Amino acid sequence: MTASLSSSPAWQSYADAVHGASHRGDHLRVIEAAGLSVDLTAQAYSPELDAAALDLCAQQGLTQAIAQLFDGGQANWTEHRPAWHTALRAAEPPPSVAGPILTERQRVRDFVAAANANGDYKYVLHLGIGGSDWGPRMILRALRHQGISREVRFASNVDSHAVADSMHQLDPHSTLIIIASKSFTTTEPLANAQVAIHWLEDAGVADPLKQVVAITANVQAARDFGIAPERIFQFWDWVGGRYSLWSAIGALPVSLALGCDTFDQLLAGAAAMDDHFQHAPLSQNAPVQMALAGMANRSVMGFETLAVAPYDSRLTHLVPWAQQLEMESLGKVATRDGSPAGVPTGPVVWGMTGTDCQHTFFQWLHQDTAGAPVDFIFCERPDHRYEEHHRLLIANCLAQRAALLRGKSFDEALIECSALTSDPQEARVLAQHRIHPGRRPSNLIVLPRLTGHAMGALLALYEHKVFTQGVLWGINPFDQWGVEFGKALARRIIDELGQPGHAPELEDPSTRHWIEVLSRSAKPGA
Ligand code: F6P
């Protein structure tokens, strides 16, 4: 096995430069990319760090890896596949895949045009999970202010309470059911689809499958399910599940609800960020610089998590979308040659929209011994007429960033507390409670307005940041071997719950206990 990253020549210089850099946020660093402003001022910076980072990028072959990503090379090396989500949004897709891409794009447009012309489907019930759910769910929430022509409900958990909620007050006779699943073997959408089809049957829908479409890379499985070929929209193995928004996975629900033009804008925004990522010099490359800042925070400064705080309620689903993108891409055990990275990798991603986040966990962010870097996001212009309200929102975002960076010293706190008590000792004790360590890193991403183009650029920014971190850490951001084990055990437990037996892989006493208890309670008359 080759040496891990931590013992590589460029790494030690990079780590030393991070420690030696300024963490005071005193060097304005705003990168304009695809219409977004990415402000990295509150991250570690020094000319030496800039140079060491470029050396690390060179050592890890970043430039070559970016070229391979866009050329359809095997960026997903454990599954020997390309990761060609960028081809899906290219104005002119690469010739080797342009045919299928443009054909499916047109099939979606034709299906939506026919549905619009016929006045079909007042409602859409979307059944997918993970990368087949978060992207469409996020976009429809973010852009519904543009006006929606169909109500789209989402059910992802294999939980009939959730499915029932999503079907509440829908008219079965005018509901289209979308089964979105790349593999078309995932338990949740298929089980939920059975509930939804029964719901149609119970309402007297003569041929329920005529109100069902599939979006999948496994066309045969969808055919076997009983869905007609003309109602199956395809994407391909060379598109990762959590990178599939740009395929029919996003095109169909977004176009049905928001129109094909909005989806085209989404593609254009992502393509603009692709162009920036491919051609901007690394030191002026927004995804690369966000990736390096994140790596410095995670692998050198020891921050274990990253908080994402969109100051726009329409971006509420950006947080779970980013959680899956980052944690399912970077939460890995081995690097390319099988060896561990040797440094901390893949942060926990969490967060909440502002200003709710300020009243939920910013106390922790400001004064906890650890704290966390924060990605702040806001739109310069709102899509409502309440200008003063919007100023309040933005001012709070900027204030929280400034407070995290600036901090509050004991002396400053003592001045405050001395005005509260005449007892100097009490004032000193109180002041200890008001210290803010400060120099807590953050990014600020500013969108001009919340449009399809801006959303496309924002999502591609995060996709390329994650890809870059994968390259620098030596991690494959496009596989997800860690999700398979739990799924296999779930299938065993389902069998056991029906027929308790002896499954050696389920020997821990707690699992055994609950299988026995739940099997008894499931027995008729129990
Ligand atoms: O979470 C595991 C996972 O495989 C994700 O990578 C994927 O987005 C999700 O399950 C759904 O998979 P599918 O689209 O194949 O149903």
Side-chain angles (χ1 to χ4, degrees):
M1 289 190 186
T2 55
S4 69
L5 173 66
S6 58
S7 53
S8 66
W11 173 259
Q12 203 48 57
S13 313
Y14 171 76
D16 293 344
V18 171
H19 285 300
S22 160
H23 297 255
R24 294 185 302 278
D26 46 12
H27 177 87
L28 183 65
R29 293 174 63 211
V30 181
I31 298 177
E32 300 299 332
L36 309 186
S37 299
V38 181
D39 185 338
L40 296 118
T41 306
Q43 299 289 356
Y45 177 77
S46 71
E48 295 76 13
L49 174 54
D50 217 10
L54 293 179
D55 290 345
L56 182 64
C57 291
Q59 173 188 282
Q60 298 302 94
L62 178 60
T63 302
Q64 296 85 334
I66 293 172
Q68 181 195 54
L69 179 74
F70 283 88
D71 291 346
Q74 281 198 5
N76 179 354
W77 64 79
T78 60
E79 295 180 290
H80 307 294
R81 291 172 187 162
W84 223 350
H85 42 288
T86 55
L88 297 172
R89 58 217 192 191
E92 293 180 13
S96 61
V97 289
I101 290 174
L102 297 175
T103 299
E104 288 306 299
R105 269 190 206 171
Q106 192 55 49
R107 290 188 67 235
V108 168
R109 296 180 76 92
D110 293 344
F111 180 88
V112 174
N116 293 344
N118 302 330
D120 293 339
Y121 315 126
K122 190 176 174 186
Y123 306 105
V124 177
L125 179 58
H126 185 285
L127 306 175
I129 196 162
S132 297
D133 169 83
W134 286 126
R137 189 192 289 252
M138 167 182 60
I139 295 301
L140 291 183
R141 177 64 190 85
L143 300 179
R144 74 179 184 207
H145 62 277
Q146 295 184 351
I148 57 170
S149 48
R150 290 181 178 85
E151 181 171 352
V152 183
R153 303 273 186 86
F154 291 85
S156 49
N157 288 330
V158 64
D159 169 355
S160 282
H161 294 300
V163 181
D165 282 351
S166 66
M167 296 194 284
H168 182 59
Q169 293 184 339
L170 291 189
D171 173 4
H173 294 277
S174 57
T175 296
L176 175 70
I177 294 170
I178 295 180
I179 306 174
S181 175
K182 177 180 176 183
S183 61
F184 222 83
T185 60
T186 306
T187 300
E188 294 91 339
L190 298 182
N192 291 343
Q194 293 300 348
V195 173
I197 289 167
H198 290 154
W199 173 68
L200 295 179
E201 287 166 344
D202 292 347
V205 172
D207 186 350
L209 285 173
K210 281 225 181 328
Q211 289 179 217
V212 179
V213 295
I215 309 173
T216 185
N218 188 346
V219 172
Q220 189 51 54
R223 294 285 296 112
D224 296 344
F225 188 88
I227 299 172
E230 66 272 14
R231 306 178 72 78
I232 299 172
F233 298 91
Q234 183 178 359
F235 63 110
W236 304 274
D237 269 351
W238 41 264
V239 177
R242 53 193 172 276
Y243 299 85
S244 62
L245 171 66
W246 321 101
S247 72
I249 286 281
L252 186 59
V254 172
S255 301
L256 281 167
L258 294 165
C260 296
D261 290 350
T262 296
F263 188 71
D264 290 347
Q265 280 303 309
L266 202 63
L267 294 181
M273 186 58 73
D274 290 346
D275 184 64
H276 169 84
F277 182 50
Q278 274 185 285
H279 302 113
L282 297 185
S283 56
Q284 288 301 315
N285 192 303
V288 170
Q289 291 303 315
M290 275 184 71
L292 287 162
M295 185 178 205
N297 291 329
R298 179 74 189 101
S299 304
V300 181
M301 302 306 289
F303 290 108
E304 295 190 352
T305 74
L306 167 68
V308 177
Y311 272 64
D312 192 313
S313 58
R314 298 169 293 177
L315 293 178
T316 191
H317 296 317
L318 180 77
V319 175
W321 174 85
Q323 282 182 312
Q324 185 198 12
L325 174 71
E326 300 230 12
M327 296 171 77
E328 198 166 86
S329 295
L330 298 172
K332 305 292 172 67
V333 70
T335 61
R336 183 182 280 270
D337 64 8
S339 65
V343 298
T345 53
V348 171
V349 176
W350 56 291
M352 184 185 290
T353 50
T355 54
D356 278 336
C357 54
Q358 295 174 202
H359 303 268
T360 307
F361 50 71
F362 265 69
Q363 165 60 47
W364 184 89
L365 284 170
H366 284 295
Q367 290 191 316
D368 179 74
T369 50
V374 184
D375 280 0
F376 290 93
I377 301 164
F378 69 67
C379 299
E380 201 168 332
R381 306 285 310 141
D383 288 286
H384 58 65
R385 56 194 174 90
Y386 303 106
E387 294 288 342
E388 179 51 29
H389 223 160
H390 194 62
R391 274 197 288 277
L392 289 174
L393 184 64
I394 289 180
N396 271 279
C397 179
L398 294 175
Q400 294 300 326
R401 270 186 85 231
L404 284 170
L405 178 64
R406 184 190 181 288
K408 183 184 287 183
S409 69
F410 172 76
D411 291 343
E412 290 170 323
L414 185 59
I415 292 167
E416 277 178 28
C417 297
S418 300
L420 301 175
T421 172
S422 57
D423 176 344
Q425 180 50 28
E426 184 186 21
R428 294 185 67 83
V429 170
L430 284 177
Q432 291 294 348
H433 293 269
R434 298 194 183 200
I435 292 172
H436 288 58
R439 296 190 185 183
R440 297 207 157 167
S442 68
N443 292 316
L444 172 62
I445 303 165
V446 180
L447 286 61
R449 291 190 84 135
L450 197 53
T451 62
H453 193 282
M455 274 306 286
L458 178 66
L459 303 184
L461 171 68
Y462 272 92
E463 286 180 345
H464 293 321
K465 179 202 85 165
V466 166
F467 168 72
T468 299
Q469 290 181 331
V471 173
L472 295 177
W473 277 323
I475 283 170
N476 178 355
F478 300 117
D479 60 11
Q480 52 284 320
W481 302 109
V483 301
E484 299 309 325
F485 185 35
K487 287 180 182 177
L489 290 187
R491 286 189 286 271
R492 296 288 297 117
I493 291 175
I494 287 164
D495 295 342
E496 289 281 291
L497 284 176
Q499 184 85 21
H502 178 70
E505 67 269 41
L506 297 172
E507 275 313 317
D508 73 86
S510 174
T511 305
R512 290 283 2 132
H513 165 75
W514 288 109
I515 287 172
E516 300 299 332
V517 167
L518 295 169
S519 298
R520 283 199 300 273
S521 63
K523 283 191 171 55

